[in-house]
């Protein structure tokens, strides 16, 4: 019985747990690092997806990536922010999930990633899956088996 429930959770499609794209803070390819820093600071998220106008996923951008790009020898060179583009500093090697992937795959990946971007069959960004949501589901499962 327990193992059946466990299998059921592991096989659950991730589509049930996604935070949909309209609720996800993001920046666009071509935005300046100055604008991106504003978005990151205002939303409070340490890292957000980088999308194009067709909502295709290009990478991830964090405050750390921006700060490192303006780090001079003795000071942070804030005046450079307006001339640096998101594309110049983002991480392009994004680990992502497909909408058809299961909870099991997400569980494996959230060990090393605070969140994962999710794309549909055409490669369009549909939202994110966060470590918080995965942990909540795991907690629910653990408390339900006795
Ligand atoms: P972080 O920004 O480093 O946030 C780590 C955890 O801190 C979050 O875990 C959440 O529990 C809490 N937190 C941070 N900012 C918050 C806020 N503005 N409102 C509510 N809670 C906040 P998770 O929820 O598991 O999220 C993991 C990561 O996913 C976040 O890392 C962030 O990079 C990204 N993320 C989550 N929700 C997002 C959204 N709506 N838009 C863009 N990125 C999001």
């Amino acid at each position: 019985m327990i193992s059946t429930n466990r299998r059921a959770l592991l096989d659950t499609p991730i589509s049930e747990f996604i935070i949909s794209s309209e609720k996800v803070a993001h920046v666009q390819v071509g935005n300046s690092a100055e604008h991106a820093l504003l978005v990151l600071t205002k939303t409070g998220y340490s890292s957000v997806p980088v999308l194009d106008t067709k909502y295709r996923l290009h990478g991830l951008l964090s405050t750390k990536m921006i700060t490192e790009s303006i780090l001079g020898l003795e000071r942070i060179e804030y005046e450079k922010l307006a001339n640096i583009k998101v594309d110049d500093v983002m991480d392009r090697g994004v680990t992502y999930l497909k909408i058809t992937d299961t909870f099991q795959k997400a569980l494996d990946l959230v060990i090393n990633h605070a969140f994962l971007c999710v794309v549909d069959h055409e490669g369009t960004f549909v939202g994110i899956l966060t470590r918080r949501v995965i942990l909540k589901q795991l907690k629910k499962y653990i408390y339900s088996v006795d």
Side-chain angles (χ1 to χ4, degrees):
M1 181 62 181
I2 289 171
S3 68
T4 311
N5 286 344
R6 188 178 63 203
R7 194 69 258 161
L9 175 64
L10 293 175
D11 289 343
T12 307
I14 56 160
S15 50
E16 288 190 27
F17 309 124
I18 292 172
I19 297 173
S20 61
S21 57
E22 67 272 15
K23 292 186 188 144
V24 178
H26 72 273
V27 292
Q28 282 201 351
V29 173
N31 281 165
S32 70
E34 188 171 30
H35 173 80
L37 190 58
L38 207 67
V39 171
L40 285 160
T41 307
K42 284 250 178 200
T43 59
Y45 295 119
S46 53
S47 170
V48 295
V50 181
L51 309 176
D52 63 21
T53 50
K54 291 185 169 160
Y55 261 62
R56 278 179 307 235
L57 178 66
H58 285 249
L60 288 181
L61 186 75
S62 68
T63 310
K64 181 171 176 278
M65 291 170 201
I66 297 177
T67 314
E68 274 179 354
S69 73
I70 55 169
L71 208 57
L73 280 181
E74 286 178 7
R75 54 180 281 273
I76 296 178
E77 297 165 350
Y78 285 106
E79 64 280 4
K80 285 188 174 169
L81 274 179
N83 298 319
I84 297 172
K85 295 267 177 272
V86 162
D87 329 27
D88 302 330
V89 292
M90 69 183 181
D91 176 10
R92 293 169 194 272
V94 192
T95 304
Y96 62 90
L97 288 165
K98 298 195 195 97
I99 189 90
T100 47
D101 283 333
T102 60
F103 186 88
Q104 183 164 16
K105 180 157 184 196
L107 183 58
D108 287 344
L109 291 174
V110 293
I111 290 169
N112 289 324
H113 303 274
F115 74 103
L116 292 147
C117 292
V118 184
V119 300
D120 69 11
H121 57 286
E122 288 176 331
T124 307
F125 175 79
V126 290
I128 58 170
L129 192 61
T130 62
R131 193 177 272 165
R132 175 185 160 86
V133 168
I134 294 287
L135 280 176
K136 273 174 92 172
Q137 293 304 319
L138 261 191
K139 179 182 166 185
K140 217 187 309 180
Y141 168 75
I142 289 166
Y143 285 5
S144 72
V145 289
D146 247 327

